[in-house]
Amino acid sequence: MTATSDDELDEVYAFAVQLGKEAGDMLMGAARSRFGDAGQSEQAVEEKENAVDIVTKTDEAVEAFIKSSIEARYPGHKFIGEETYSKGSSREYLITDVAPTWCVDPLDGTVNFTHLFPMFCVSIGFIIGGEAVIGVIYAPFLNQLFSACRGRGAWLNETLPLPLVRNPVPAMPPQAPSGCVFSCEWGKDRRDTPDGNMHRKVESFVNMAAEVGGREGKGGMVHGVRSLGSATLDLAYTAMGAFDIWWEGGCWEWDVAAGIAVLQEAGGLVTTANPPEEPDTAEIPDVRLGSRLYLAIRPAGPSATESGRQGQERVVREVWRRVRSMDYARPGA
Amino acid sequence: MTATSDDELDEVYAFAVQLGKEAGDMLMGAARSRFGDAGQSEQAVEEKENAVDIVTKTDEAVEAFIKSSIEARYPGHKFIGEETYSKGSSREYLITDVAPTWCVDPLDGTVNFTHLFPMFCVSIGFIIGGEAVIGVIYAPFLNQLFSACRGRGAWLNETLPLPLVRNPVPAMPPQAPSGCVFSCEWGKDRRDTPDGNMHRKVESFVNMAAEVGGREGKGGMVHGVRSLGSATLDLAYTAMGAFDIWWEGGCWEWDVAAGIAVLQEAGGLVTTANPPEEPDTAEIPDVRLGSRLYLAIRPAGPSATESGRQGQERVVREVWRRVRSMDYARPGA
């Protein structure tokens, strides 16, 4: 592909932010139509439908809006959305190096949206040369808009730079994962298969949580364990510095493209969730967008003894020492 | 005590709401002073202190503000706060039937506040005759104020009645816990003791999460598992209807007093976390504020075959069938 100029990128970024705001407002409108302060007769009709149907309709309507807006403005760009993808017959990885590509989840945190828990958002990623360079995440019930564009910083509500604490950005805790907030998700794969993904996840969660010295030395005694039900917002809060570590398997590129763009621009590190054979010495690979296996570390400043990047890599290895490999297949990635 | 008149209760409620707003603004001011958009020199000074020290200072300052405001306005009322309590030598249960009592956590979600994750709040409960009749919860980084007073409804931001979906309020799912969002917390008790509280909690979480038919028939296949790190906000979101079930052991009355007031006024049910010997037939006891063991069910409307209360009780029993008893001692409760 031809390199995108700085001016073009600025324009695409402004377009993406506006698109995110409008799409988020659509989500909030659909949520609000179910509130008890809406006209009673209107709501009575709505709620006769299964809440899940309302959600599916909203999901599809918002994706159609985003897709058509992009096609009208940038007819040469490729579009990959969660909804259109799900209806296809395969889950092949479709992002190439060739065309600038939009990778969109119209509604991340679908279960939250169904239950009206505020942790839902629209997630818009823009990819050049296979890398997410723009990310826009809008959680309208929280009034939180996260956005980033390569070289232009990462922002909360367009005014607060990310990470929030930045003069200086705190170093990773010396005894990490102790002192860290650990974000993880139970996900949908709950098969009770011996040594299946659910049990591997839970074993990993417990290792990270248990007292130091426990779990045959694997106890990480993290400061807190959090599960929000939105991969996108997990990444956004990691970019903010609120979560130190996010570890997850099973989600898809539309769940993470925008979040990875925001996190990387904020100074975070993203690599693979699955530990290599030699976690203490293996090279730390850059994340592959379609890998379905993600480990994210928050932005970090230097300490007296190591650079920010060294601190992040130390934490990656400490996580790898405590977690199990997960088994998520991915055609074409 | 003498019965509090309706007018008096209205006055106390208005006072509590205003107090919550001012205390929440203090919390947000302290959070904001750590943001990178604050004066750089000022922040550099602040961050030289351990973040934990800043949090402790804020916690104490907010509690002192709330306590002195209450003492000035209602000198005859009793005050129990998390900070003053923690400094005492015992954790005896101090709430009596005799005097109207304020039960306050100046900062719930302390770990979240330390890391600037938005799920923190001030929690103000007002208790008459041993029962929480007013609750005010303000999460300033989320702009969410939850409030309730017995007989006056429960509210989000003073304008949206809780639960949010209410025309009609949805019945509990017929296959619950399937279809339910399950909220739980890992807490601070992470000892790796065989059959200790951490392992009992995790076993219970996995039973609730696993596929139906899994876990020797205990699999609950809940719709989602969430952990926010704030007991108060867990209860607030259960009152909102966003969480269907909250199950927790180990927290204290100042963590739950306001949340229980909001949840009960919204129509929710709160009982004990620990299953009785006969979970299918045992009476469902009212929650004891100081029990440290809580199971909360969201407000529920009737279905074709059962009342809202019957649906809630069915879900209580389904949870009890899947969870382990936890071991949390409580002097004087």
Side-chain angles (χ1 to χ4, degrees), chain A residues 192-248:
Chain A
D192 187 27
T193 315
D195 209 40
N197 280 322
M198 181 181 70
H199 290 291
R200 293 183 191 193
K201 274 191 171 182
V202 171
E203 185 183 332
S204 305
F205 298 171
V206 176
N207 285 345
M208 293 293 285
E211 62 181 330
V212 174
R215 307 286 288 174
E216 298 175 340
K218 289 198 170 174
M221 196 58 199
V222 294
H223 205 186
V225 180
R226 302 289 176 266
S227 298
L228 304 184
S230 162
T232 302
L233 288 170
D234 288 332
L235 280 162
Y237 289 121
T238 308
M240 199 162 103
F243 293 159
D244 300 277
I245 300 163
W246 178 61
W247 179 78
E248 167 66 331

Side-chain angles (χ1 to χ4, degrees), chain B residues 208-258:
Chain B
M208 293 293 284
E211 62 181 330
V212 173
R215 307 285 287 174
E216 296 174 341
K218 289 198 171 175
M221 196 59 199
V222 293
H223 207 186
V225 180
R226 302 289 176 266
S227 298
L228 304 184
S230 162
T232 302
L233 288 170
D234 288 332
L235 280 162
Y237 289 121
T238 308
M240 200 162 102
F243 293 161
D244 300 275
I245 301 163
W246 178 61
W247 179 79
E248 168 66 331
C251 54
W252 302 86
E253 54 269 28
W254 48 83
D255 298 314
V256 300

Side-chain angles (χ1 to χ4, degrees), chain A residues 55-56 59-60 63 79-88 91 102-110 123 188 252-255:
Chain A
V55 172
T56 306
D59 217 345
E60 290 177 357
E63 178 156 327
F79 178 90
I80 292 174
E82 194 252 350
E83 282 304 299
T84 40
Y85 220 88
S86 304
K87 291 185 178 163
R91 291 242 170 170
W102 295 79
C103 187
V104 171
D105 192 351
L107 170 54
D108 191 74
T110 311
S123 174
K188 293 171 192 161
W252 302 87
E253 55 269 27
W254 47 85
D255 298 314

